[in-house]
Amino acid sequence: MSDLKSWPEPVVRVQSLSESGLRAIPKRYVKPPSDRPAFTNKTENQQHVDIPVIDLKNLFSKDPTLHEETLGFISTACKEWGFFQAVNHGVSHELMERTREVWRQFFNMPLELKQEYANSPTTYEGYGSRLGVQKGASLDWSDYFFLHYLPVSLRNQSKWPSHPSSCRELLSEYGAEVVKLGGRLLKAMSTNLGLKEDYLQNAFGGEDIGACLRVNFYPKCPQPDLTLGLSSHSDPGGMTFLLPDHDVAGLQVRKNGNWLTVNPIPNAFIVNVGDQIQVLSNMIYKSVEHRVIVNSVKDRVSLAFFYNPKSDLLIEPAKELVSEDRPALYTPMTFDEYRLYIRTKGPSGKSQVESLGST
């Protein structure tokens, strides 16, 4: 952990770079040609796609037919895409909007106020601008704010912004609602995998799960074709609930080797399977590579809420999903051990989960 105590070089705020009026981005942000997004009109039109959209209102319907139909939609999305957009999910649309807007206000505050929350790689909590601690590494065109929500013992509200004044209260309320939604979806996934309804929840630690929030700010970029807001990666945790900006697309999902741009539906969450569910399901459900492109005209704000296992529990394929024909594909590892990889090396496609394979 010694190499996670401090950043290897001074941290530059990307928002400050964007607002300085520069016309060319610094070399640190220029990606290799193979990693750059394609922005020709022809390619863009081909890339935009609608990932599955699932109406969750019937997930706990008393009508067994509607319930089973919704379970089937979730199962197909988790197996074939690793992503879906959830509507009628039970979280207040007004709460979603207010929470996103309070974070937009935070990032528009003067730099010196935001700097009071500057983070270090020890826990990543606070206001940050990079992932990984490798000196000279390629950087992404984004700033962020990261905080712990659960377990309560890790929740340090002094590290939550006190301005805007409604931020802490909204965070508490928003987090509680998304955690409820996470529990409902874990039950559905367990059932679909042929496990007891509470299997995945118990594997995550029962009521003692981990949860954290990363609020992303993607400033306008003068050369969006040369960089990324967030490099390709799969999420290391259990399940992610993304509240995207309502009028600017940015998330891209890798499907059959192609990068597909997701069109956000108003008031929907974009839900994706993380590496821990891929491991627990013995790769029946798959986490999927995704990345974020940036925009030359508009800033973007998005909220990624990570619903994770308790950090010190061993995560391994469910025994019920292991057989002679389908042996365990992964060796056991705690989530604490697992997430050190991305915190040290930064986003690295799916190299981490692929390196876990049993021999």
Side-chain angles (χ1 to χ4, degrees):
M1 290 290 285
S2 59
D3 57 348
L4 289 179
K5 288 181 180 174
S6 61
W7 302 114
E9 51 223 347
V11 173
V12 176
R13 301 304 179 191
V14 178
Q15 187 175 5
S16 298
L17 285 176
S18 175
E19 292 173 354
S20 72
L22 52 72
R23 295 186 179 182
I25 62 175
K27 288 182 180 178
R28 293 290 303 276
Y29 299 91
V30 176
K31 302 299 179 186
S34 60
D35 293 341
R36 296 175 193 170
F39 279 112
T40 63
N41 288 336
K42 182 179 178 185
T43 309
E44 272 197 321
N45 291 337
Q46 289 174 344
Q47 281 187 327
H48 277 269
V49 71
D50 291 325
I51 61 174
V53 178
I54 302 178
D55 188 335
L56 296 183
K57 70 182 176 188
N58 292 320
L59 184 56
F60 294 99
S61 169
K62 292 180 180 177
D63 182 324
T65 304
L66 294 175
H67 172 73
E68 289 296 327
E69 183 181 54
T70 307
L71 284 177
F73 291 147
I74 294 170
S75 178
T76 300
C78 291
K79 287 177 179 176
E80 296 183 5
W81 283 87
F83 269 86
F84 60 91
Q85 295 199 63
V87 298
N88 290 322
H89 41 63
V91 179
S92 157
H93 296 170
E94 182 196 13
L95 176 62
M96 294 164 72
E97 178 68 21
R98 288 172 63 209
T99 306
R100 181 173 50 212
E101 289 312 305
V102 83
W103 280 105
R104 200 185 305 277
Q105 292 168 33
F106 172 83
F107 282 104
N108 286 329
M109 292 196 313
L111 179 61
E112 59 269 22
L113 295 179
K114 293 180 287 193
Q115 283 292 107
E116 293 176 16
Y117 299 96
N119 71 348
S120 78
T122 310
T123 65
Y124 275 85
E125 283 181 283
Y127 176 48
S129 297
R130 64 178 293 165
L131 272 174
V133 292
Q134 294 181 325
K135 192 170 183 177
S138 173
L139 299 177
D140 290 333
W141 193 262
S142 58
D143 299 323
Y144 64 86
F145 200 103
F146 179 82
L147 55 87
H148 288 294
Y149 186 78
L150 289 176
V152 175
S153 59
L154 282 183
R155 188 186 299 180
N156 184 351
Q157 289 199 324
S158 69
K159 294 188 177 181
W160 296 14
S162 56
H163 296 285
S165 58
S166 59
C167 188
R168 290 178 178 175
E169 182 183 347
L170 283 169
L171 266 175
S172 294
E173 190 179 348
Y174 178 81
E177 291 302 308
V178 180
V179 166
K180 281 184 203 169
L181 176 59
R184 292 173 187 141
L185 282 176
L186 273 193
K187 285 183 178 179
M189 290 179 185
S190 291
T191 301
N192 282 335
L193 289 166
L195 303 168
K196 291 181 179 176
E197 186 183 66
D198 59 358
Y199 183 92
L200 289 176
Q201 188 72 58
N202 289 337
F204 272 46
E207 296 300 309
D208 199 15
I209 65 156
C212 46
L213 176 71
R214 177 181 155 123
V215 185
N216 306 294
F217 185 80
Y218 302 106
K220 289 179 287 192
C221 178
Q223 295 176 298
D225 54 322
L226 297 183
T227 191
L228 291 167
L230 188 55
S231 292
S232 170
H233 65 289
S234 60
D235 289 345
M239 180 169 32
T240 304
F241 295 88
L242 181 73
L243 175 58
D245 215 323
H246 50 75
D247 60 353
V248 193
L251 176 67
Q252 291 192 323
V253 174
R254 195 164 198 172
K255 176 75 168 169
N256 299 326
N258 298 314
W259 287 107
L260 308 173
T261 304
V262 176
N263 295 305
I265 291 175
N267 304 315
F269 280 112
I270 299 174
V271 182
N272 66 279
V273 170
D275 293 346
Q276 304 306 302
I277 285 181
Q278 175 169 322
V279 170
L280 284 160
S281 72
N282 207 25
M283 215 170 84
I284 294 171
Y285 293 166
K286 299 175 187 69
S287 62
V288 171
E289 271 185 87
H290 50 286
R291 67 182 188 182
V292 176
I293 56 176
V294 289
N295 190 290
S296 61
V297 180
K298 294 182 177 180
D299 299 329
R300 289 179 55 248
V301 174
S302 68
L303 282 68
F305 191 94
F306 303 106
Y307 190 102
N308 295 330
K310 187 170 180 283
S311 62
D312 59 356
L313 290 180
L314 275 180
I315 302 296
E316 60 186 319
K319 298 287 189 288
E320 295 87 337
L321 303 178
V322 174
S323 65
E324 217 174 297
D325 295 333
R326 189 182 181 89
L329 299 174
Y330 305 101
T331 52
M333 181 182 285
T334 68
F335 182 51
D336 249 349
E337 294 171 312
Y338 189 85
R339 65 181 167 192
L340 267 179
Y341 186 100
I342 195 168
R343 290 186 171 187
T344 305
K345 297 188 177 184
S348 307
K350 287 205 67 172
S351 60
Q352 182 179 8
V353 72
E354 288 169 356
S355 73
L356 279 187
S358 295
T359 52

